[in-house]
Amino acid sequence: MTTTTRKKKKHHFGRIHVSNESDSNLSVPLLAGGPGFSRTVYCNDPECLEAGQLRYKNNYVRTTKYTIATFLPKSLFEQFRRVANLYFLVCALLSFTPLSPYSALSNVVPLVVVVAATMGKEIVEDWRRKMQDIKMNNRKVKAHRGDGTFEPKKWRDLRVGDIVKVEKDEFFPADLILFSSSYEEAICYVETTNLDGETNLKLKPALEATSGLNEDSLFIDFKAIVRCEDPNANLYTFIGSLYLEDCQLPLSPQQLLLRDSKLRNTDYVYGVVIFTGHDTKVMQNSTAPPSKRSKIERRTDKIVYFLFSMLVLMSTIGSIYFGIETGMDIEDGAMTRWYLRPDITTIYYDPTKPALAAILHFLTAFMLYGYLIPISLYVSIEIVKVLQSVFINNDIHMYHEESDTPARARTSNLNEELGQVDTILSDKTGTLTCNSMEFIKCSIAGVAYGQGVTEVEKAMARRKGEELDDEDNQDNELKQFVSVKGYNFIDERIVDGNWVNEPRADVIQKFLQLLAICHTAIPDVDEETRNISYEAESPDEAAFVIAARELGFEFCERTQSSISFLEFDPTTGEKVKRVYTLLNIIEFSSSRKRMSVIVQNEEGKLLLLCKGADSVMFERLAEDGREFEQQTRSHINEYAEAGLRTLILAYREVEESEYKEFNEAFMEAKSSVSADRDELVDQVADQFERNLILLGATAVEDKLQNGVPECIDKLAQAGIKLWVLTGDKMETAINIGYACSLLREGMKQIIISSEMHERKTLEKASDKSAMDDALKASVLHHITEGKELASRESTDALALIIDGKSLAHALEDDVKDMFLDLALACASVICCRSSPKQKALVTRLVKHKTGATTLAIGDGANDVGMLQEADIGVGISGSEGMQAVMSSDIAIAQFRFLERLLLIHGHWCYRRIASMICYFFYKNIVFGFTLFYFEAYTSFSGQTAYNDWYLSFYNIFFTSLPVIALGVFDQDVSSKLCLKFPQLYQEGVQNVIFNWRRIIGWSFNGIFSATSVFYFCVYAMESQAFRGGGEVVGFEILGTVLYTCVVWVVNAQMALAINYFTYIQHLFIFGSLAVWYLFLVAYGAMDPDISTTAYQVFVEACAPSASFWLITLFVMFSTLVPYSIYAAVQLQFFPMYHQMIQLIEANGQSEDLEFSLMLQQRSLTPPTLVGCTARLEAKNSSFSESRQEE
């Protein structure tokens, strides 16, 4: 339990995060009641007349996609938005007319089955959501009845203005304003895991004016009004005021308790409901993620449109021919085809109206040739993708044991995209690195402390061919003396209280005091061991507090108005408890890049303590506060080169009059109920946080994750480009780039930095616009020079490194194309000091301009825009919460798992889906063209070759399961060989399995197979006796033999196309054939009114005839021989890369180094320019050149 005090105190200064509350005479800029700020809450009086007129939403929450009333219309609309389904619906409707070539039932059933299967899936998913809604809406919370008592009330029945009492470990039922808690200080601790995934506790303070409302009975006569912003999706802002007893009190996000967050370490809290149901911030954030479709799926749509065009063309050709032939049935009063009796025919065959007959025939053919379009394609693809996702989720090699985190495919729509990634855009901190910060070095009073060696320094030494003599000794020493997470510091000069002997011990003391005070961490005391751990908002902040503790300044207690720590007293040599009054906290933000606290020490001095990025801190130093600036700058540059993250620490004393003036302006800004409140607060803080005195700088290490260099090397060998987009300093990013082999010695670097430019232009440009113009001109100049260098350097690798200010200009409309051309010509791209928006814009630029598949990977909330913008977003479940994971398409625990995700699962999924779709179209073209040929054979009379139910079950029972097995289980090469030959991945990037050449090839194969099957069958049976009695075949026998041959040919073709057989493939292929024969027997045994042309056709006619079996075997083999010859020639003389791997594996040469190197050289992958392999090759090449020169 966190340490707090139970004694009631009177505080003269503001509480944590909130300064002194204003009184009624305070003049504040108000927009309450205006657009965006019209919310009015009548506290403890939700049934008053005014509240009733507002008609706010109730607290019932529905996350289902459908209701009972909307399910059918909405679901049917979703189904028939697909062109293929809409076409089959039209055919089903037309099947009830005399135009139909088959019975209505046989046409409607397949459509109903396909649509019902998809709708059933929707029902199951929505029912689960419904159960979750019911469970949540029926949760209970204690609500005020109006007589000083609180009784359980269902969440769904809460109204705006209700006073509720939430107890420990309960979830907040709506968005509440905190009034009081079980602590005398009216604070509470909140866990927001359900909102942002962060597990660290947040401290929430109530206003002092309501802190006394800590008993049920005190609410009998309580009345107040809250005026605040309207419902919105921003979790981290809130603007409002509480009107209590003629006082206006400003409300901030610190008093806001969000729905679905949990009360922790606090017995109970009281609060008022301000947003309910779908007005709550968590529900406002529950918008659907951007819709993403894979490139293969989009190409599949084009193929469907192409087949639809072919269908129309075939129908048109047949109709024209039919119209001409029909018009010639009666010539000069004589009947040419007398056996058709054209003199007494219907309108559909009327020779006197051939044009009308042709139009009606077109509609008949339009339905009949519909079997060109596979009705079960999309359903089959969905099934296959779900099963592929199961394999990804259950891959033990992508399971992270330390965090108990498996890989998780959050959507199955993009499985095949994983096999086509051209460019990866990666965050650095928490993605390439661990985001588990360790305090390792610091600079205090111009003196560098800390003797540890970072991973980057080790990599730099290896890069320069140097040895760190004391590396092993230091590692052993650290292991012996340091065993604290977040603390990896060793320097005998300041540890164990030795800092008192340093020349500037006074500065060191202030430095360590600042580390112990300037933060928002929460101490948590273990009741058994009395050890203190810390809940901090970031790993950096936790590392600072831990470092202060280990160096003798132990932060131990926080209240709303004070912060306490045990300080080493150099005079007595003992620890003394210091209590500082906490007046204000000016929080960190990405725009401010710093945080400050204003405290009052035990002597009554007011102190401003500040820590922040060097880019904003040095400019805030006073003239007499720069004593150590030069040394500190030098040290932080060294730290950045060592891959460390740095912060500057500074302070100043504040006069009481100055503080009162600041606090008044600060409170006025915080009390502003307007959209620009944050900006007003920042302006006030900006003026106050100046004239600081420099103390020093901290340096924390964020180590590379395990396996990152090896993973990057494999991805580079696979031809995948990696861009790093980070908010870190350029020096830090460059050295991390060296450590993970994105950069190497000999690689020419194109550096576009605003820092270098600004030093030259500061004196020349006096205004900001002139500086911006000069910077843009400099960026253009660097880009132009870089492109010229790239055009000259055809073999050497280039690296582009650009900072945030320069990137802002590089992304402008008139520059971005040039910037992209340069970036694509470079082997490595590192964007430093990038904002979240810039990350998303870079991702969008690469995706839209190149047309290649992009994958973004990150772990923090600042990566969400990038993940949603990329074709595939991969979230890493790390130390920065789960917001990236919740916005991602696929979640993994470590960057190194990306290697297996792409090179194995991505390659397999791409190949399986591409092959499956090609085969789907092949088997439907075979089937559709036999119908067309039979139509031509019968003068386009509209007669079908097959029984109605043969037509219906072709795509459902006799050919569908083998193709699903192909999409789920097929492997061209094993997982081991996928990793050994990463160059194989380029088959997906270059789309060699699903390009138009291959698609057209499968289409021609289908047309040839249909031609072969039809004409072999017709000419083999046309004039020959079929039965023992000498009878020739009839129409029904011809149709059955044709159909049997088609089923055999397409399933045998499937067997030839499969690379990896399992018993499931055998079962589905031979099972489909067996099901066809069983169906013939069972269906043929039914009443003739039901089985029609199939009545006893197999038992009585086909099975006893030797011709039936001989024709089937002959047609199957003769049809597949050309394909087999083509495949053999192609394998022998023009093998694809995966076939080369298959050959050396079959010959037992996969472990032979010579064959492996030869195979790698024949790959489609361009030369590897980054990674460990490229570094080794460059080193060997350099060595060879030097030997030749000698």
Side-chain angles (χ1 to χ4, degrees), residues 207-227:
L207 298 178
E208 186 174 0
T210 61
S211 61
L213 298 168
N214 53 8
E215 293 182 9
D216 294 1
S217 58
L218 297 177
F219 286 93
I220 296 179
D221 300 319
F222 174 77
K223 291 289 186 295
I225 295 176
V226 172
R227 300 186 189 278

Side-chain angles (χ1 to χ4, degrees), residues 683-957:
Q683 288 175 359
V684 174
D686 180 69
Q687 294 300 316
F688 189 65
E689 295 168 318
R690 293 186 178 275
N691 299 316
L692 301 172
I693 299 172
L694 179 65
L695 294 174
T698 61
V700 295
E701 180 182 18
D702 188 8
K703 292 185 177 181
L704 283 176
Q705 292 181 11
N706 292 334
V708 165
E710 295 80 4
C711 176
I712 290 175
D713 184 50
K714 285 289 187 185
L715 297 175
Q717 290 183 57
I720 302 173
K721 295 182 281 290
L722 179 65
W723 295 22
V724 175
L725 312 177
T726 177
D728 278 347
K729 292 184 64 173
M730 181 173 286
E731 294 81 2
T732 305
I734 288 175
N735 285 296
I736 290 291
Y738 277 112
C740 62
S741 298
L742 271 177
L743 303 175
R744 56 177 168 81
E745 286 300 314
M747 180 181 280
K748 296 186 178 180
Q749 297 179 2
I750 302 169
I751 298 177
I752 305 177
S753 171
S754 60
E755 296 295 325
M756 294 189 301
H757 161 76
E758 284 175 352
R759 291 190 182 127
K760 297 176 183 177
T761 58
L762 269 173
E763 296 178 355
K764 300 178 182 178
S766 57
D767 62 272
K768 187 176 184 300
S769 61
M771 287 185 64
D772 284 343
D773 292 341
L775 177 56
K776 183 174 180 179
S778 174
V779 170
L780 275 168
H781 175 70
H782 280 94
I783 291 175
T784 304
E785 283 190 341
K787 291 181 68 175
E788 291 177 358
L789 179 63
S791 63
R792 293 197 303 268
E793 301 292 341
S794 57
T795 56
D796 291 348
L798 300 177
L800 174 62
I801 302 159
I802 185 170
D803 67 4
K805 290 182 180 178
S806 302
L807 185 60
H809 291 293
L811 292 174
E812 292 179 5
D813 290 341
D814 57 336
V815 185
K816 62 184 181 183
D817 288 344
M818 295 175 60
F819 166 69
L820 182 62
D821 290 340
L822 173 60
L824 293 175
C826 295
S828 295
V829 179
I830 299 177
C831 301
C832 317
R833 298 289 197 188
S834 305
S835 68
K837 183 178 180 181
Q838 285 177 328
K839 290 182 179 183
L841 289 174
V842 170
T843 305
R844 180 185 301 173
L845 178 65
V846 177
K847 181 177 75 170
H848 287 177
K849 293 293 183 180
T850 65
T853 302
T854 57
L855 180 148
I857 180 169
D859 73 317
N862 60 335
D863 301 317
V864 169
M866 177 174 71
L867 299 186
Q868 293 185 338
E869 191 65 53
D871 292 300
I872 309 167
V874 176
I876 290 185
S877 48
S879 304
E880 294 191 21
M882 299 290 284
Q883 281 182 293
V885 168
M886 292 188 290
S887 302
S888 67
D889 304 303
I890 296 173
I892 56 178
Q894 296 274 287
F895 182 88
R896 69 176 185 270
F897 296 149
L898 202 60
E899 175 186 343
R900 190 171 179 87
L901 181 66
L902 298 186
L903 302 189
I904 297 176
H905 291 286
H907 172 71
W908 283 348
C909 289
Y910 161 75
R911 183 173 184 82
R912 288 164 176 170
I913 292 291
S915 300
M916 170 188 173
I917 294 172
C918 285
Y919 178 76
F920 237 111
F921 288 120
Y922 162 79
K923 72 183 183 67
N924 277 70
I925 287 173
V926 172
F927 193 60
F929 266 82
T930 57
L931 290 170
F932 178 74
Y933 289 142
F934 186 81
E935 274 284 275
Y937 185 68
T938 58
S939 300
F940 295 100
S941 61
Q943 177 65 52
T944 63
Y946 309 122
N947 181 278
D948 293 352
W949 289 104
Y950 294 2
L951 294 168
S952 301
F953 291 158
Y954 178 77
N955 279 313
I956 297 177
F957 294 123

Side-chain angles (χ1 to χ4, degrees), residues 1042-1146:
L1042 267 175
Y1043 196 95
T1044 303
C1045 290
V1046 168
V1047 171
W1048 267 98
V1049 165
V1050 297
N1051 281 287
Q1053 176 69 72
M1054 164 65 70
L1056 291 175
I1058 288 176
N1059 293 288
Y1060 180 74
F1061 270 99
T1062 67
Y1063 72 90
I1064 295 178
Q1065 270 103 334
H1066 286 292
L1067 176 65
F1068 283 177
I1069 290 174
F1070 295 108
S1072 296
L1073 295 169
V1075 167
W1076 161 238
Y1077 288 115
L1078 291 173
F1079 170 77
L1080 275 178
V1081 174
Y1083 183 50
M1086 293 182 183
D1087 187 274
D1089 291 336
I1090 299 175
S1091 58
T1092 61
T1093 58
Y1095 180 70
Q1096 297 294 343
V1097 70
F1098 180 71
V1099 174
E1100 293 185 359
C1102 294
S1105 174
S1107 300
F1108 171 74
W1109 304 104
L1110 290 174
I1111 289 171
T1112 302
L1113 290 174
F1114 174 78
V1115 169
M1116 182 185 68
F1117 283 111
S1118 58
T1119 302
L1120 296 178
V1121 161
Y1123 172 84
S1124 302
I1125 293 173
Y1126 164 80
V1129 171
Q1130 187 259 327
L1131 178 63
Q1132 188 66 33
F1133 299 104
F1134 313 100
M1136 299 176 70
Y1137 194 67
H1138 71 273
Q1139 292 172 326
M1140 299 181 198
I1141 299 174
Q1142 290 170 347
L1143 285 172
I1144 69 165
E1145 183 182 23

